[in-house]
Structures are given as C-alpha cells and as structure tokens.
C-alpha cells in the first residue's frame, strides 16, 4: 500500500494515536517525511480534499457538514504551509468536527492546542525572550519521557496567534482590544508548542519558554501561572459579549444573508451569553427565528464554489466514484479546498464569488456534469425528468425547472432559458438515429447554471 493510499484511510477513520504511529513509521524510513516526493505530498492534499467532497455529497448529517466547513473556515489554516499538510487531517477530524454543535469554549481550546494552528500562526516558535538567559543560568530539563529538542537559538515573542485569536476567532476587529492586549495574550501563550513536530506532533506546554510574569488582558489580571495563563485568556475571550456578537453575526451571515437583520443577531448573541457559548442553542435560536424563514432570506445567499459543486451533485443524484475531479472543479470555480492562505478564511459574502469568469465556470461545470463529461461521475437526467419528452424542448424545460427549482424562476431567467432552447444543440439526432431528441442533459445544465440555482 502506498503512503497516499494509507493517508486516505487515516483521513477518513483512524484515531490520533494511529495517525501518529503512521508518521512515526514514515520517520523511520530513510529521510523520514522529508524524503517524500512532491507528487506524494501533493497526493496528501488531494486525499484530504476527496474526503471532504465525499462527506459533503453523501453524509446524512448535512447541518454538521455545513458547520464543519464553517468552523474550519473560521479557524482557517493553510494546508500548504509545510507540516500543515500532515496536521490538517487530525485538525479537522479531532479539533473541529467533535465541537461543531458543542460549547464554543471547547472548540476554541481544541483549535488553540492543535499542532495545525500552533504551526500555522507561529505560536510554536513564540517564547519569552528572557527564557533563554534563564536556561543558561539554570538549565531545566523537559518533562521526563518527552522528546523535546533543546530550546534552540534565542527567539522572541510572536504575536500572530494572539492577534488573530482576538480579531478573527473571538472578539472581532471592533472588539475593543488594543495592541497591548495582543502583546499580553501572546505572552500568556508562550510555551504552547508541539512536542516533536515531525515524529510526535502533539500539543505540549514547555514551561521553560513561558513568560511567568503577570499579564493583563482587556483590563483583567491574568494570574493563573504556567499553562493556566492562556487557559484563563480563553475563558475571558469565550464569555466576552463582543465574542457573543461576533460569532452570532458570522453564523447569521453564513446561514441567513450577507447582511442579516440586527434583531436576529442580537437574539443569537443573547442566547450565546445565556447558554455560556452553546453553539447548538445559538443555532436553534437562528433556525426557529422568523427571519430565517422570511421571504427576504429565500435565496439570499450565493453558494460558494464548494457549496455549488456539492449541491449540484446531490441534486442530480450523481454516482460519484471519484471525488478528486469534483474538488478540482471547486478550485476552478475559485475556492481550492484547504488552500486559503490568510487566516481570515474564504469570504462568506456573495460579492466575492460572482464575476463574469466565475459565472462562466459555474455554467460550464453544470453542463459538464449533466453531459457526463466529468471523470468518475455518472448522471442519469432522464430518470429525474422523465423519458417521454421526445422532441419537445419546452416540455423538457418545464420538467427541469420543476425538478430543480420548484418552478420558481424569474421572468428574465425564464426568457433566457427559452431562448437557449432554440439552439441547434438542444434538438438534434444521433448519427445512428434519424429521430430528433431533446438534449435534456444540456437543458438541465443550463437550468443548474441559472442565477436561481446559484443561490440558497
């Protein structure tokens, strides 16, 4: 079995311990993980994308899948940042997925302690600058049994994680924190590192590198000492009212509209505070709100490329034997999975996804899929709209609109689609059959490329 084949199994099922053993086995080979070719490393990324695509299409727990995508994007890491190729698998599986409907505080800590996040936002290299002088005067060994390397060359405080923790993960850009708060949070997180990045990539608190002095964050004194300094920071941020509003706003922007009603966000934030950050309770408040079911929220959100591809495959009931071509289409339309470089994650607003080129790619994808021109996928459109259409393009259009849009199309879309049905490609005959037949696949592709299907 090749390394890439083994990683497919790891990505979809195995435990953290099994994953770590897999890394250890690779490390024992000549050159360890460094010996893997670029092709193999790229296959790792392909495998992770395939697993995500398969879950999105076939999972019976669609809300959980949408939330897994939402929270990964909220706590974004970039898979092509060296070791994060390896770390993203357990990050999504063990830090994100178990908490998508749990307590936000638990999700926050799980991401903070994940090797993927520690490496991506450089906290793994953050240290109290004075710790190296202390270690020279009073050498302190690591905990017995832990394979920590020597502290290495002197380095200083890294503010990346402290800044993004407040700006993106919790309080929001207008959350009332200052640059001094960023520094204090970074100090609190010194010593949060990875035990052995290549051989045993698990969270480890290295007290030798921790800043032991008191900190003050958002006006509150942090005096837990050691690892509890950062844990107190997480407590403080998770229960802050700015966090309640920021998380509620982002959820409402994702599920309701780009500019959700202020009253809805306020009720969700109140639920967040009352439930002490219970994501399930916040989602319940949103889903059972009149705003969620209002006419204004109907088709108010433009599907991201990932949502579009997954929803199209599901709507058509496509038989997907290979998921990678679908993931490649997601990238072609503009959202390469796990490959957003900045910690902001991909935009959740429609304006970021709609352009002339993007619309063409979306239409081309729909037509390619309904015409069975995507490798590894097969669609039987006739079984969905009927086999009695014959040479009647108008009947075909009516059936397709009813099947995929419930007949709810605008006058302008309808006029455009009717015009397209006069195209010679729509009605023609095969070389071995002189009887003209409607190209139902092409009509279906045109309908699935319409503005109405681009929204949810």
């Amino acid at each position: 079995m090749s390394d890439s084949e083994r990683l497919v199994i790891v990505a979809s099922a195995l435990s953290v311990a099994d994953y770590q053993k897999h890394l250890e086995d690779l490390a024992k080979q000549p050159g360890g993980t460094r010996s893997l070719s670029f092709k193999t490393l790229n296959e790792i990324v392909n495998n992770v994308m395939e697993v995500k695509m398969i879950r999105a299409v076939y999972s019976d727990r669609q809300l959980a899948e949408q939330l897994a995508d939402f929270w990964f994007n909220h706590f974004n890491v970039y898979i092509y940042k060296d070791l994060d190729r390896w770390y993203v698998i357990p990050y999504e599986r063990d830090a994100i997925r178990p908490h998508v409907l749990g307590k936000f505080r638990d999700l926050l800590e799980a991401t903070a302690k994940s090797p993927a996040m520690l490496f991506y936002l450089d906290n793994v290299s953050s240290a109290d600058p004075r710790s190296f002088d202390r270690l020279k005067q009073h050498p302190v060994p690591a905990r017995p049994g832990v394979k920590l390397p020597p502290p290495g060359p002197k380095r200083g405080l890294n503010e990346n994680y402290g800044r993004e923790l407040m700006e993106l993960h919790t309080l929001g850009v207008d959350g009332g924190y200052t640059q001094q708060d960023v520094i204090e949070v970074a100090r609190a997180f010194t010593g949060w590192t990875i035990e052995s990045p290549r051989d045993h990539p698990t969270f480890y608190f290295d007290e030798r590198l921790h800043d032991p002095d008191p900190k003050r964050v958002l006006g509150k004194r942090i005096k837990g000492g050691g690892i509890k300094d950062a844990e107190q920071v997480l407590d403080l941020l998770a229960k802050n009212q700015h966090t309640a509003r920021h998380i509620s706003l982002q959820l409402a922007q994702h599920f309701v509209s780009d500019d959700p009603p202020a009253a809805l966000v306020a009720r969700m934030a109140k639920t967040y505070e009352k439930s002490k950050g219970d994501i399930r309770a916040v989602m319940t408040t949103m889903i059972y709100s009149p705003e969620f079911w209002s006419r204004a929220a109907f088709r108010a959100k433009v599907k991201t490329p990932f949502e579009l591809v997954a929803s199209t495959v599901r709507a058509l009931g496509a038989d997907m034997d290979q998921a990678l071509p679908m993931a490649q289409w997601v990238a072609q339309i503009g959202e390469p999975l796990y490959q957003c470089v900045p910690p902001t994650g991909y935009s959740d607003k429609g304006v970021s996804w709609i352009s002339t080129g993007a619309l063409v790619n979306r239409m081309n994808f729909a037509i390619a899929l309904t015409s069975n021109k995507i490798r590894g996928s097969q669609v039987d459109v006739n079984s969905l709209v009927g086999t009695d259409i014959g040479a009647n393009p108008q009947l075909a259009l009516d059936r397709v609109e009813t099947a995929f849009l419930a007949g709810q199309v605008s006058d302008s879309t309808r006029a455009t689609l009717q015009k397209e049905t006069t195209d010679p490609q729509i009605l023609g005959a095969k070389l071995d059959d002189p009887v003209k037949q409607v190209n139902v696949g092409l009509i279906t592709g045109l309908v699935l490329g319409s503005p109405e299907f681009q929204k949810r």
Side-chain angles (χ1 to χ4, degrees):
M1 183 183 294
S2 70
D3 290 334
S4 60
E5 289 171 331
R6 293 169 68 192
L7 278 167
V8 172
I9 300 173
V10 171
S12 58
L14 297 187
S15 66
V16 178
D18 290 328
Y19 176 74
Q20 290 168 351
K21 184 179 184 304
H22 172 73
L23 289 184
E24 291 168 4
D25 290 343
L26 282 177
K28 293 176 184 177
Q29 299 175 10
T33 57
R34 297 176 181 83
S35 67
L36 295 177
S37 66
F38 175 80
K39 179 181 178 182
T40 302
L41 290 171
N42 200 49
E43 284 177 352
I44 294 170
V45 179
N46 289 343
N47 293 335
V48 178
M49 293 193 299
E50 285 181 287
V51 171
K52 185 179 181 74
M53 205 74 241
I54 290 169
R55 283 177 170 144
V57 171
Y58 291 116
S59 174
D60 292 329
R61 303 175 67 241
Q62 282 297 302
L63 178 59
E65 289 306 311
Q66 288 198 41
L67 283 169
D69 182 54
F70 170 84
W71 287 120
F72 186 96
N73 199 55
H74 182 84
F75 294 102
N76 181 59
V77 299
Y78 174 55
I79 197 169
Y80 275 114
K81 185 174 179 179
D82 194 19
L83 291 176
D84 270 331
R85 284 186 182 90
W86 302 96
Y87 297 163
V88 159
I89 295 173
Y91 176 62
E92 182 174 22
R93 187 190 58 219
D94 304 311
I96 300 290
R97 287 184 170 273
H99 304 291
V100 295
L101 281 168
K103 292 283 190 177
F104 180 75
R105 171 64 177 77
D106 296 336
L107 174 59
L108 190 63
E109 182 167 336
T111 58
K113 288 184 174 178
S114 169
M117 185 63 73
L118 289 165
F119 185 78
Y120 174 60
L121 289 180
D122 305 310
N123 206 80
V124 68
S125 62
S126 184
D128 176 8
R130 301 166 300 171
S131 62
F132 297 88
D133 294 330
R134 290 197 302 268
L135 285 169
K136 284 182 180 179
Q137 297 175 10
H138 305 285
V140 179
R143 188 176 70 213
V146 175
K147 303 175 183 179
L148 276 180
K154 184 174 182 178
R155 57 188 184 275
L157 196 66
N158 191 299
E159 300 174 9
N160 286 355
Y161 180 68
R163 178 174 291 102
E164 308 307 349
L165 174 64
M166 290 191 285
E167 179 179 330
L168 301 177
H169 300 170
T170 56
L171 305 175
V173 68
D174 298 320
Y177 64 90
T178 66
Q179 172 59 25
Q180 187 58 40
D181 288 319
V182 172
I183 295 171
E184 296 292 288
V185 169
R187 290 178 57 219
F189 276 91
T190 50
W192 283 47
T193 187
I194 302 172
E195 183 174 322
S196 182
R198 289 188 179 271
D199 300 326
H200 196 243
T202 58
F203 169 77
Y204 177 71
F205 177 68
D206 190 347
E207 193 152 8
R208 301 174 301 172
L209 305 179
H210 183 64
D211 183 336
D213 293 341
K215 294 93 180 169
R216 183 170 291 276
V217 177
L218 301 176
K220 303 290 185 180
R221 182 178 170 84
I222 303 296
K223 53 181 179 181
I227 192 173
K228 291 185 178 180
D229 282 348
E231 290 174 345
Q232 284 189 359
V233 169
L234 295 178
D235 288 337
L236 180 66
L237 295 176
K239 64 184 181 183
N240 189 282
Q241 63 179 359
H242 289 290
T243 298
R245 186 185 183 282
H246 181 60
I247 297 303
S248 298
L249 175 61
Q250 290 209 316
L251 284 168
Q253 284 179 330
H254 183 78
F255 286 99
V256 181
S257 67
D258 290 351
D259 187 20
L264 171 61
V265 175
R267 291 200 305 277
M268 292 169 65
K270 185 177 180 180
T271 298
Y272 179 102
E273 293 183 69
K274 185 177 180 180
S275 66
K276 298 182 180 179
D278 189 316
I279 300 168
R280 184 183 296 272
V282 176
M283 289 293 294
T284 299
T285 295
M286 181 191 73
I287 291 172
Y288 284 92
S289 71
E291 293 92 339
F292 184 81
W293 299 98
S294 68
R295 182 68 188 174
F298 180 65
R299 289 179 181 163
K301 289 289 299 181
V302 173
K303 296 175 184 177
T304 66
F306 176 57
E307 291 171 335
L308 175 70
V309 171
S311 66
T312 306
V313 175
R314 286 174 61 82
L316 289 166
D319 184 5
M320 188 175 68
D321 294 330
Q322 299 179 46
L324 183 58
M326 292 300 175
Q328 290 170 335
W329 266 104
V330 174
Q332 185 171 334
I333 299 173
E335 188 187 7
L337 300 176
Y338 302 103
Q339 296 172 55
C340 183
V341 178
T344 51
Y346 286 118
S347 172
D348 208 1
K349 294 191 174 183
V351 67
S352 302
W353 300 115
I354 296 301
S355 66
T356 302
L359 290 173
V360 170
N361 280 331
R362 287 171 177 242
M363 178 69 76
N364 288 340
F365 162 72
I367 293 174
L369 182 58
T370 56
S371 302
N372 288 313
K373 293 182 179 179
I374 297 181
R375 176 173 50 87
S377 296
Q378 189 71 26
V379 174
D380 183 3
V381 175
N382 289 327
S383 67
L384 299 173
V385 299
T387 58
D388 59 340
I389 291 172
N392 190 336
Q394 187 62 51
L395 176 60
L397 180 58
D398 290 340
R399 292 270 184 90
V400 173
E401 285 181 352
T402 299
F404 298 105
L405 298 177
Q408 299 178 359
V409 295
S410 67
D411 292 340
S412 60
T413 297
R414 178 73 177 180
T416 300
L417 290 171
Q418 286 180 329
K419 182 179 179 180
E420 291 295 332
T421 60
T422 63
D423 190 294
Q425 295 183 68
I426 295 293
L427 188 61
K430 296 180 181 179
L431 293 177
D432 58 347
D433 185 357
V435 179
K436 290 187 176 182
Q437 295 285 332
V438 172
N439 187 334
V440 179
L442 181 54
I443 289 181
T444 304
L446 292 171
V447 169
L448 294 177
S450 69
E452 283 78 2
F453 194 79
Q454 303 305 306
K455 298 179 180 180
R456 56 172 173 83

